[in-house]
């Protein structure tokens, strides 16, 4: 058995985001501390070099005035230079003229000459020599040196004076190292404290920021359990997650509406299919059980069966046509037709049905032929559905007016009735698939007619509108745009 990385990997997105933020913070902090230490070291070293060069320049100017003046100055500043850790070495060919050795160095002339010789051989303006090349005295360095594990480094430069003698100055880097080490120690302590606070604050804000996603997950689980009315609580913010929440709730509204409508429509479809199927079955059973039936009676029974089968076929065909219309895959066989002639033919099919209800069917067509590129079968089907609805919902003694208005770039077909009308709320839904309004619930049909009409009209790249008020009749207007 072993513990794999996958088992250690946090499964919570919130935990992963928090850990990622912490790692990013510490990595950035380490970079900042590293670069800060580097640039501080460069800055301290630059200042130390400027200090040494300033001191060397001052001594050179004193030497130009008088060799004795320089020697006197070195004697006067001897104690001060020893305490600050400054090494001074002035020599000529005959020997050493003056030397100041820091207080914690051993008085070893051989090592001092070695120090100067090493610098001169290097040929560089500056030399750095670790303190391990020197023998320190028994005097203990500052306690901070021990605590910070410092290794003292000597920065050395030299200059040839006017008489050919050489003056070398070296100064310890210990102060620079001490400041940088102390800086890093303090910064790491601060970063540790800030890191702990960042973990707590990061966890809190990550939890708050991801709360909409958590609500989304919980709502999805509730919906998966069968509660379609569940909604995600909308946050008070206006960011991307708030927009996602609103869109998700809108989608849930549409899904719930679709599922509810589908369940209601399936009940209607089952009812409309059950009736012809029951009649068909009854006719067949009667023909089978009636052993004395004549050929004429059997023929009538077969005609009833064929009629019921045709009703079922028409119902299924309407469902398929409506599905094509909604999906936008309806195939049209367009040809140049006269809208006057096609509409006249559709009206003639429903004139007898209108006369049975004592409804006057008025026609107001254009005086000249109106030609359009359209599928005559589909367009006649759409007009037939509109006329059938107008007759169905217009009371006896009413009238229906079919008009064709032709303009330069638009052709309008209007079917206006004096029926029961449609409420404003229902006007927004009458073109929905399988929707049946309050006025149509007691009549035959499944709510496919107007949805199919809209699909046919849209397939022709035309538009259909309804203008209606309760008890004031309805007007359905189809608008075709003529190509320019």
């Amino acid at each position: 058995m072993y513990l794999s990385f996958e088992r250690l990997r946090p499964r919570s997105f919130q935990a992963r985001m928090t850990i990622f933020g912490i790692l990013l913070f510490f990595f950035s902090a380490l970079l900042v501390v590293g670069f800060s230490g580097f640039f501080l070291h460069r800055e301290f070293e630059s200042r130390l070099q400027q200090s040494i060069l300033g001191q060397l320049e001052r001594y050179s100017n004193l030497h130009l005035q008088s060799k004795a003046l320089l020697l006197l100055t070195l004697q006067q500043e001897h104690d001060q230079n020893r305490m600050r850790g400054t090494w001074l070495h002035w020599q000529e060919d005959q020997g050493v003229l003056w030397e100041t050795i820091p207080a914690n160095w051993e008085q070893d002339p051989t090592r001092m000459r070695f120090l100067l010789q090493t610098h001169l051989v290097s040929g560089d303006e500056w030399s750095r020599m670790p303190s391990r090349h020197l023998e320190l005295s028994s005097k203990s360095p500052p306690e901070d040196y021990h605590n910070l594990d410092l290794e003292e480094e000597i920065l050395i430069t030299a200059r040839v004076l006017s008489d050919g003698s050489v003056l070398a100055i070296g100064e310890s880097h210990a102060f620079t190292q001490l400041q940088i080490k102390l800086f890093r120690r303090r910064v790491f302590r601060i970063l540790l404290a800030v890191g702990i606070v960042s973990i707590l604050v990061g966890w809190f804000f990550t939890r708050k920021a991801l709360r909409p996603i958590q609500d989304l997950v919980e709502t999805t689980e509730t919906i998966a359990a069968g509660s379609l009315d569940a909604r995600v609580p909308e946050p008070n913010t206006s960011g991307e997650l708030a927009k996602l929440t609103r869109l998700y709730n809108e989608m849930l509204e549409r899904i719930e509406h679709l599922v509810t409508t589908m369940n209601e429509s399936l009940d209607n479809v089952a009812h409309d299919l059950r009736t012809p199927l029951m009649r068909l079955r009854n006719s067949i059973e009667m023909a089978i059980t009636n052993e004395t039936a004549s050929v004429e009676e059997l023929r009538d029974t077969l005609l009833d069966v064929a009629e019921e089968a045709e009703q079922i076929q028409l119902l299924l065909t309407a469902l398929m046509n409506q599905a094509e219309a909604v999906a936008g895959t309806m195939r049209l066989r367009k040809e140049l037709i006269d809208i006057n002639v096609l509409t006249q033919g559709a009206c003639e099919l429903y004139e007898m049905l209108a006369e049975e209800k004592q409804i006057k069917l008025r026609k107001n067509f254009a005086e000249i032929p109106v030609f359009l590129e359209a599928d005559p079968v589909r367009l006649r089907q759409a007009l037939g559905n509109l006329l059938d609805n107008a007759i169905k919902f217009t009371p006896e003694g009413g009238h229906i007016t079919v008009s064709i208005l032709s303009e330069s770039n638009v052709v309008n077909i209007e079917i206006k009735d004096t029926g029961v009308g449609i409420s404003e709320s229902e006007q927004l839904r009458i073109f929905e698939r399988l929707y049946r309004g309050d006025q149509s619930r007691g009549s035959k049909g499944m709510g496919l007619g107007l949805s199919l009409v809209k699909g046919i009209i849209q397939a022709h790249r035309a538009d259909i509108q309804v203008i209606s008020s309760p008890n004031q009749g309805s007007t359905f207007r189809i608008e075709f745009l003529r190509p320019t």
Side-chain angles (χ1 to χ4, degrees):
M1 297 294 292
Y2 62 93
L3 188 62
S4 65
F5 175 75
E6 287 296 326
R7 295 183 181 180
L8 295 175
R9 186 178 180 181
R11 297 183 178 181
S12 169
F13 180 70
Q14 178 181 347
R16 291 200 297 270
M17 287 292 293
T18 304
I19 293 174
F20 174 77
I22 293 171
L23 292 177
L24 182 62
F25 168 77
F26 277 108
F27 180 73
S28 303
L30 288 175
L31 286 179
V32 170
V33 172
F35 280 111
S36 299
F38 173 77
F39 287 114
L40 277 175
H41 185 273
R42 293 284 299 273
E43 178 64 21
F44 282 139
E45 183 175 289
S46 175
R47 291 186 180 184
L48 182 59
Q49 289 177 347
Q50 292 175 6
S51 174
I52 295 174
L53 289 176
Q55 193 174 8
L56 190 59
E57 183 68 22
R58 184 168 64 88
Y59 289 155
S60 299
N61 292 333
L62 291 173
H63 181 268
L64 289 175
Q65 296 178 30
S66 170
K67 187 175 181 179
L69 181 59
L70 173 58
L71 186 59
L72 179 61
T73 303
L74 292 176
Q75 291 174 352
Q76 292 174 349
E77 298 178 356
H78 176 70
D79 292 338
Q80 178 183 351
N81 288 331
R82 286 186 73 248
M83 297 308 298
R84 63 180 292 186
T86 302
W87 170 64
L88 286 168
H89 187 88
W90 182 22
Q91 74 173 29
E92 57 185 9
D93 295 339
Q94 288 77 14
V96 178
L97 297 175
W98 181 263
E99 186 166 42
T100 299
I101 300 176
N104 60 332
W105 291 18
E106 286 288 350
Q107 304 287 336
D108 188 346
T110 303
R111 290 188 179 276
M112 298 303 103
R113 288 195 296 270
F114 168 76
L115 202 61
L116 177 59
Q117 188 65 27
T118 303
H119 171 69
L120 295 177
V121 170
S122 69
D124 298 327
E125 182 181 3
W126 296 95
S127 295
R128 294 174 180 81
M129 182 168 293
S131 62
R132 63 176 177 269
H133 291 175
L134 304 171
E135 290 291 340
L136 299 181
S137 68
S138 59
K139 293 184 179 179
S140 299
E143 186 177 350
D144 283 333
Y145 286 23
H146 294 297
N147 296 337
L148 296 173
D149 190 25
L150 293 177
E151 181 179 356
E152 188 173 358
E153 186 181 62
I154 311 301
L155 190 64
I156 302 171
T157 188
R159 177 176 295 184
V160 179
L161 302 180
S162 58
D163 60 354
S165 60
V166 177
L167 178 60
I169 299 180
E171 195 159 328
S172 172
H173 250 219
F175 178 76
T176 300
Q177 291 177 296
L178 178 62
Q179 295 301 316
I180 294 175
K181 291 281 187 177
L182 289 175
F183 166 76
R184 288 176 176 171
R185 173 180 285 186
R186 295 189 185 103
V187 169
F188 276 121
R189 289 173 179 172
I190 295 173
L191 288 179
L192 182 60
V194 172
I196 295 174
V197 175
S198 298
I199 292 174
L200 300 176
V201 175
W203 179 267
F204 172 77
F205 281 104
T206 302
R207 180 182 179 85
K208 185 176 181 180
L210 296 179
R211 186 61 202 176
I213 296 180
Q214 184 63 32
D215 292 338
L216 195 68
V217 172
E218 293 175 358
T219 303
T220 304
E221 291 174 347
T222 304
I223 293 173
S227 180
L228 293 178
D229 59 344
R231 297 293 180 270
V232 183
E234 295 191 11
N236 297 325
T237 60
S238 58
E240 290 78 3
L241 290 178
K243 184 177 181 180
L244 174 63
T245 301
R246 287 191 289 270
L247 292 175
Y248 191 77
N249 284 337
E250 291 176 5
M251 181 185 67
L252 291 179
E253 291 284 351
R254 290 195 294 269
I255 291 175
E256 183 184 12
H257 170 68
L258 179 62
V259 171
T260 303
T261 304
M262 183 178 64
N263 290 334
E264 295 176 353
S265 302
L266 287 175
D267 292 339
N268 296 332
V269 171
H271 179 269
D272 289 342
L273 282 175
R274 184 169 58 246
T275 301
L277 285 174
M278 287 296 297
R279 290 176 181 173
L280 188 149
R281 180 177 179 178
N282 291 337
S283 298
I284 294 175
E285 288 179 350
M286 289 177 61
I288 292 174
T289 57
N290 189 1
E291 298 179 354
T292 61
S294 62
V295 175
E296 190 65 29
E297 289 175 339
L298 292 176
R299 180 182 176 84
D300 290 340
T301 300
L302 289 176
L303 289 175
D304 291 340
V305 169
E307 183 178 352
E308 298 301 333
E310 184 180 4
Q311 289 296 323
I312 295 173
Q313 182 182 6
L314 290 174
L315 181 59
L316 295 177
T317 300
L319 285 171
M320 290 188 292
N321 289 338
Q322 201 275 339
E324 288 182 355
V326 171
T329 58
M330 180 177 289
R331 290 172 293 180
L332 301 178
R333 297 180 179 177
K334 290 186 178 182
E335 57 184 73
L336 191 63
I337 59 173
D338 185 352
I339 294 296
N340 287 336
V341 175
L342 186 138
T343 307
Q344 175 65 33
C347 291
E348 290 175 355
L349 292 176
Y350 288 90
E351 279 182 346
M352 186 175 295
L353 185 61
E355 289 177 0
E356 290 178 359
K357 291 187 65 175
Q358 299 179 359
I359 296 174
K360 294 182 179 180
L361 186 57
R362 301 172 180 173
K363 290 168 282 187
N364 183 19
F365 296 168
E367 298 179 355
I368 58 175
V370 179
F371 293 100
L372 281 177
E373 286 280 344
D375 185 330
V377 177
R378 293 293 191 184
L379 193 54
R380 189 180 295 112
Q381 185 181 10
L383 294 175
N385 271 294
L386 293 175
L387 287 169
D388 183 69
N389 281 345
I391 294 172
K392 186 186 299 184
F393 297 108
T394 299
E396 293 184 1
H399 61 268
I400 299 172
T401 303
V402 181
S403 305
I404 298 177
L405 306 174
S406 177
E407 298 179 5
S408 58
N409 57 346
V410 176
V411 176
N412 290 325
I413 303 175
E414 288 187 357
I415 299 177
K416 184 177 181 180
D417 61 54
T418 57
V420 296
I422 306 170
S423 65
E424 186 176 354
S425 60
E426 288 186 338
Q427 290 179 33
L428 302 174
R429 301 190 58 192
I430 57 174
F431 292 110
E432 293 180 7
R433 184 180 183 181
L434 302 174
Y435 175 76
R436 301 182 72 186
D438 294 335
Q439 299 292 340
S440 61
R441 296 192 186 278
S443 59
K444 293 175 63 177
M446 297 186 304
L448 293 173
L450 289 178
S451 177
L452 178 60
V453 168
K454 185 175 182 179
I456 293 173
I457 299 304
Q458 288 182 340
H460 283 83
R461 299 184 182 277
D463 187 34
I464 183 169
Q465 301 173 353
V466 59
I467 303 171
S468 182
S469 298
N471 302 318
Q472 298 295 324
S474 303
T475 300
F476 286 85
R477 178 181 299 145
I478 303 173
E479 184 178 277
F480 291 91
L481 294 178
R482 283 179 168 175
T484 56

